[in-house]
């Protein structure tokens, strides 16, 4: 004879229907490097290994695959980089940056962008992930995005959506990169929502052939972060 | 004119960016108010379904990545990824990382005096099926001390990262274990007010427990969902 094993009495936890709702955000902590950023994750157009920091754990524990090689991508290839700073102006060596963007033609590689008249690039997803190095620097290689539709009949200036994670960040901070020489910036419906004196924290500047976008989490010249 | 189906905003269970009990938040959280923006195509799209193109195939057994068997209590974690309207989120990736059974990360900057396990990395990745279900095998991570305050210990937890269908649905969280007394005194967990904190506590489950093999835990992840009513962003001012 066997006795049927039964579950313990229900409790207040993840499975309680009365608590059903959005899973709360928690920090990535300082030790995410062997689990999240993968080799090639910060190179949206090529086959380089940018994005990971394999020196932070033994080689035999790199279990994440290298990005498979991708096809040709149209548009202007750019480097986007910057330093992430804390309130004391100190660079943050354990932050992680994610980007999401349209291709050069202004189309998102997403089932929710169904504008079939605008071409997709077979080799371009538009999502990237980079970890900051010991000097707080992150770097992406990508293409300069095209303009995309905004609310109503408006057009959004070319931009890259950015998510910031790290030790001490309980939830993602969201910002955007715009390009200093883009004529559409003046008409951009999102930039228009930002107080004029803070708008330039969202503008990347071309320095020595590289687009520079520092991210200041707090203090003087604090980057504008969005409630999305 | 583009049809935009906006996502719901944060609900009351999301933590603030500044939570002084978690000391690192003090210098790493903004002081200026966030600028609220409408959801545009940028926020309602995402690389859904493209993870294998980006990162390669799934790694659902964290106990089988090396020559030997890792030390510790073997567990099977399963559940569903849903949106807050209760709809399953299929074909979405969950990334997983954690400490070993002794509470030590494989990371070189984790230097506390607990043993590393050569047979355990603690990184994995699963993709949900058509009903939003996932399952992975791992070992129960240990608690570990950290420098936040005197005698601070993190409760056992597994880090989880999900993108969901859109930029707006992105979430990184931590799964905790039932009956862990450290949760109640952990500043990171406590950044989430009650009762919402309990959304991060998994449930022991005899049904998914494998006889003579592994304990089963259930954990559903709930992502932001679309607002109930789609808004067509037609302009009416001309």
């Amino acid at each position: 004879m066997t006795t049927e094993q039964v579950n313990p009495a229900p409790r207040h936890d993840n499975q309680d229907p009365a608590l059903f709702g959005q899973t709360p955000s928690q920090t990535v902590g300082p030790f995410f490097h062997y689990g999240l950023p993968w080799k090639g994750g910060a190179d949206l157009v090529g086959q380089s290994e940018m994005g990971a920091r394999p020196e932070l754990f033994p080689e035999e524990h790199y279990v994440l695959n290298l990005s498979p090689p991708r096809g040709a991508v149209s548009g202007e290839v750019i480097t986007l980089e910057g330093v992430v700073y804390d309130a004391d102006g100190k660079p943050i060596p354990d932050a992680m940056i994610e980007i999401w963007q349209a291709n050069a033609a202004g189309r998102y590689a997403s089932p929710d962008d169904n504008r079939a008249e605008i071409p997709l690039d077979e080799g371009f997803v538009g999502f990237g992930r980079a970890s900051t190095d010991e000097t707080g620097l992150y770097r992406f290689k990508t293409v300069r995005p095209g303009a995309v539709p905004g609310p109503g009949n408006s057009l959004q200036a070319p931009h890259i959506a950015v998510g910031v994670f790290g030790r001490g960040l309980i939830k993602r901070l969201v910002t955007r990169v715009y390009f200093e020489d883009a004529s559409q910036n003046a008409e951009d419906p999102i930039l228009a929502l930002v107080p004029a004196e803070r708008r330039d924290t969202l503008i990347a500047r071309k320095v020595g052939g590289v687009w520079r976008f520092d991210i200041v989490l707090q203090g003087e010249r604090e980057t504008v972060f969005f409630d999305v | 004119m583009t049809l935009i189906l906006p996502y719901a905003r944060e609900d009351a269970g999301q933590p603030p960016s500044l939570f002084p009990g978690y000391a690192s938040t003090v210098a790493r959280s903004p002081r200026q108010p966030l600028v609220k923006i409408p959801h545009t195509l940028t926020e309602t799209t995402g690389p859904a379904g493209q993870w294998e193109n980006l990162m390669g195939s799934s790694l659902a057994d964290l106990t089988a990545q090396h020559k030997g068997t890792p030390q510790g209590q073997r567990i099977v974690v399963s559940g569903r990824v849903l949106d807050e309207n209760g709809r399953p989120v299929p074909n979405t990736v969950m990334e997983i990382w954690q400490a070993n059974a002794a509470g030590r990360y494989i990371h070189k900057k984790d230097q506390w005096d607990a043993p590393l396990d050569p047979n355990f990395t603690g990184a994995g990745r699963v993709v949900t099926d058509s009903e939003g279900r996932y399952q992975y095998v791992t070992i129960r991570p240990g608690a570990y001390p950290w420098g936040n305050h005197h005698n601070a210990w993190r409760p056992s937890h597994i880090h989880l990262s999900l993108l969901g269908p859109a930029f707006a649905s992105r979430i990184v969280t931590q799964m905790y274990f039932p009956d862990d007394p450290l949760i109640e005194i952990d500043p990171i967990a406590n950044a989430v007010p009650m009762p919402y904190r309990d959304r991060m506590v998994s449930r022991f489950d005899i049904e998914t427990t494998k006889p003579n093999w592994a304990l089963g835990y259930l954990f559903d992840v709930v992502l932001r969902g679309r607002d109930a009513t789609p808004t067509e962003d037609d302009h009416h001012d001309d």
Side-chain angles (χ1 to χ4, degrees):
Chain A
M1 180 186 155
T2 58
T3 305
E4 187 71 12
Q5 182 62 268
V6 295
N7 268 318
R11 57 182 66 222
H12 295 291
D13 61 21
N14 178 270
Q15 300 291 303
D16 182 347
L19 287 180
F20 183 85
Q22 294 172 13
T23 302
S25 179
Q26 296 273 270
T27 178
V28 296
F31 302 135
F32 57 83
H33 297 91
Y34 66 96
L36 288 180
W38 70 99
K39 290 180 183 176
D43 186 345
L44 284 70
V45 298
Q47 288 95 48
S48 78
E49 298 194 345
M50 288 169 61
R53 290 190 63 189
E55 77 279 10
L56 290 176
F57 49 95
E59 188 180 355
E60 64 271 23
H61 290 285
Y62 184 79
V63 297
L64 304 176
N65 295 348
L66 178 66
S67 293
R70 293 191 279 271
V73 176
S74 55
E76 180 194 347
V77 175
I78 61 169
T79 297
L80 172 70
E81 66 176 35
V83 172
V84 185
Y85 292 103
D86 72 8
D88 306 315
K90 286 193 297 210
I92 297 180
D94 47 13
M96 184 180 86
I97 309 296
E98 288 181 349
I99 61 172
W100 170 241
Q101 64 166 92
N103 67 10
R107 174 98 187 265
Y108 286 103
S110 164
D112 289 299
D113 183 352
N114 50 19
R115 297 170 298 147
E117 68 279 13
I118 303 176
L120 282 169
D121 284 297
E122 204 178 326
F124 188 74
V125 174
F127 180 83
R129 187 181 282 169
S131 18
T132 57
D133 67 15
E134 291 303 309
T135 69
L137 185 76
Y138 71 89
R139 179 181 291 129
F140 289 98
K141 198 166 138 195
T142 184
V143 297
R144 185 168 167 149
V148 298
N153 280 353
S154 69
L155 195 66
Q156 300 189 72
H159 66 275
I160 296 175
V162 176
V164 185
F165 303 82
R167 179 175 67 84
L169 281 77
I170 301 177
K171 58 185 179 184
R172 175 179 71 161
L173 294 173
V174 169
T175 185
R176 283 181 172 205
V177 174
Y178 287 86
F179 297 88
E180 94 178 300
D181 61 354
S183 57
Q184 303 101 320
N185 288 348
E187 308 294 326
D188 182 83
I190 302 300
L191 279 176
L193 298 172
V194 176
E197 69 279 8
R198 299 190 65 210
R199 262 174 227 161
D200 69 340
T201 69
L202 301 175
I203 310 288
R205 303 190 190 285
K206 204 166 188 182
V207 181
V210 166
W211 287 96
R212 178 82 185 189
F213 186 78
D214 290 342
I215 298 171
V216 181
L217 299 189
Q218 189 192 122
E220 206 182 329
R221 287 191 47 79
E222 182 176 307
T223 299
V224 169
F225 297 104
F226 293 115
D227 172 359
V228 295
Chain B
M1 183 184 74
T2 311
L3 186 71
I4 295 291
L5 297 156
Y7 280 79
R9 301 282 167 157
E10 284 187 359
D11 75 11
Q14 294 298 345
S17 286
L18 173 61
F19 188 75
Y22 175 19
S24 303
T25 66
V26 174
R28 292 185 171 195
S29 53
R31 289 295 176 276
Q32 300 287 332
L34 301 184
V35 175
K36 186 169 182 174
I37 62 173
H39 287 173
T40 73
L41 206 51
T42 305
E43 288 76 31
T44 61
T45 54
Q50 304 220 44
W51 278 96
E52 296 203 352
N53 289 336
L54 292 167
M55 305 170 59
S57 52
S58 61
L59 299 161
D61 188 346
L62 283 72
T63 68
Q65 293 173 336
H66 299 282
K67 280 195 187 116
T69 305
Q71 297 284 339
Q73 176 76 66
R74 190 184 300 112
I75 62 174
V76 179
V77 183
S78 57
R80 292 208 290 170
V81 181
L82 305 164
D83 71 19
E84 63 192 294
N85 304 309
R87 282 187 286 255
V89 182
N91 195 29
T92 201
V93 155
M94 174 190 289
E95 296 166 276
I96 303 152
W97 76 105
Q98 63 169 87
N100 68 21
R104 176 95 183 259
Y105 288 91
I106 201 67
H107 199 285
K108 285 184 180 170
K109 291 192 177 181
D110 185 3
Q111 290 291 328
W112 89 281
D113 186 15
L116 288 169
D117 185 341
N119 292 311
F120 191 71
T121 297
R125 182 194 303 141
V126 289
V127 180
T128 58
D129 69 11
S130 59
E131 295 176 320
R133 295 185 188 283
Y134 74 87
Q135 181 177 94
Y136 60 91
V137 178
T138 186
I139 55 96
R140 180 169 169 151
Y144 58 83
W146 61 309
N148 190 68
H149 56 273
H150 175 67
N151 213 6
W153 291 76
R154 295 283 347 267
S156 296
H157 61 279
I158 297 177
H159 294 269
L160 302 172
S161 163
L162 297 98
L163 202 71
F167 184 78
S169 59
R170 176 89 174 98
I171 191 79
V172 175
T173 190
Q174 298 180 21
M175 182 192 102
Y176 298 95
F177 289 85
D179 303 319
D180 187 339
L182 294 171
I183 298 170
E184 200 180 312
I185 55 170
D186 174 53
I188 294 178
N190 275 264
V192 177
M194 286 295 272
Y196 309 106
R197 190 183 311 145
D198 284 343
R199 288 177 177 170
M200 302 185 293
V201 178
S202 57
R203 176 178 291 189
F204 168 73
D205 178 49
I206 198 72
E207 306 291 333
T208 51
T209 292
K210 312 271 192 214
N212 301 314
W213 182 249
L215 294 176
Y217 288 89
L218 299 180
F219 193 75
D220 294 342
V221 178
V222 180
L223 305 178
R224 284 208 250 166
R226 303 259 196 194
D227 272 352
T229 47
T231 57
E232 191 156 358
D233 264 329
D234 207 350
H235 69 150
H236 304 286
D237 52 354
D238 63 0

